[in-house]
Amino acid sequence: AINDLSLEIEEDTITGLIGRNGAGKTTLLRLIAGYMRPTAGEIRVFSHNPFNNLAVSANMIFVDDQMAFPPSLFLSDILKHAADFYPNWDTDLAGKLLEYFALNPLQSHNGLSKGMQSTFNMIIGLSSRCSLTVFDEPTTGMDIAKRKDFYRALLKDYVDHPRTVILSSHLISEVENILEDVLLIDSG
């Protein structure tokens, strides 16, 4: 899926990874996150190989539509326990976003619609305030108003707490105003 690709992502920027569905965006992001081992070449995140690396995983979050949470936990429980995993976790931000997006704190993640799951996943990603925050098509299933609200919340929190954000999308017109750098990918 990825072949002969060389790139460097600047620290403390919002970088867009833009390409059509099937271009290799998710594969590249999974390699960066350390979820996959490269079959050739080299990847460095925080100067480390990210595959199975605690130093990398402790300082990054990968947000996509495959995030899974225990069905026995309410959304409020998930947010409470997330603070144990992310040292920069912002409980106030998580609570405000949960309220703003009108999510019921006593509902399970599995009981949410696709768009509401994406919204909750986005809340986890923003509130974690990880040094590297990776959003893989984070607005899947969200309506246009929620997508715009997500981008505003991302930009506002980024201005207050700069960090490296990689945001993949195939909706260029929606993300072009918040990106500081753009990586275009086509056929790997």
Side-chain angles (χ1 to χ4, degrees):
I2 303 294
N3 189 28
D4 199 25
L5 177 67
S6 180
L7 60 97
E8 186 171 322
I9 296 174
E10 294 278 330
E11 186 176 350
D12 294 340
T13 60
I14 299 178
T15 300
L17 180 59
I18 307 298
R20 294 181 175 159
N21 289 333
K25 298 184 306 288
T26 296
T27 300
L28 176 59
L29 294 178
R30 288 182 173 277
L31 287 164
I32 291 170
Y35 289 5
M36 298 170 61
R37 183 189 312 245
T39 55
E42 179 182 48
I43 296 175
R44 305 308 261 169
V45 177
F46 309 128
S47 301
H48 300 285
N49 176 343
F51 184 73
N52 275 347
N53 188 303
L54 207 49
V56 172
S57 63
N59 292 292
M60 67 95 49
I61 187 167
F62 183 85
V63 178
D64 69 353
D65 63 355
Q66 303 297 312
M67 291 179 83
F69 301 100
S72 61
L73 295 180
F74 294 130
L75 299 181
S76 58
D77 297 328
I78 295 168
L79 294 179
K80 185 179 123 196
H81 292 297
D84 297 333
F85 291 95
Y86 303 107
N88 298 326
W89 180 261
D90 188 324
T91 300
D92 279 349
L93 177 63
K96 287 176 184 173
L97 290 172
L98 195 71
E99 185 177 327
Y100 180 82
F101 286 102
L103 287 163
N104 179 354
L106 298 179
Q107 184 158 10
S108 73
H109 190 263
N110 293 354
L112 298 173
S113 69
K114 184 73 166 162
M116 294 308 264
Q117 283 183 355
S118 292
T119 301
F120 183 77
N121 297 350
M122 171 271 304
I123 291 170
I124 296 280
L126 289 179
S127 301
S128 72
R129 292 210 174 126
C130 286
S131 298
L132 174 58
T133 303
V134 178
F135 289 105
D136 186 16
E137 299 282 352
T139 59
T140 302
M142 288 185 197
D143 62 38
I144 185 68
K146 282 218 172 43
R147 291 195 307 262
K148 287 182 179 181
D149 286 344
F150 161 67
Y151 297 129
R152 274 192 293 269
L154 170 62
L155 192 56
K156 181 182 182 327
D157 197 61
Y158 170 77
V159 167
D160 293 342
H161 303 277
R163 55 198 178 267
T164 305
V165 176
I166 304 172
L167 174 71
S168 78
S169 183
H170 61 275
L171 303 171
I172 298 170
S173 63
E174 286 190 7
V175 296
E176 65 185 350
N177 293 327
I178 66 167
L179 302 178
E180 297 173 273
D181 205 354
V182 174
L183 298 170
L184 297 176
I185 190 166
D186 182 35
S187 302

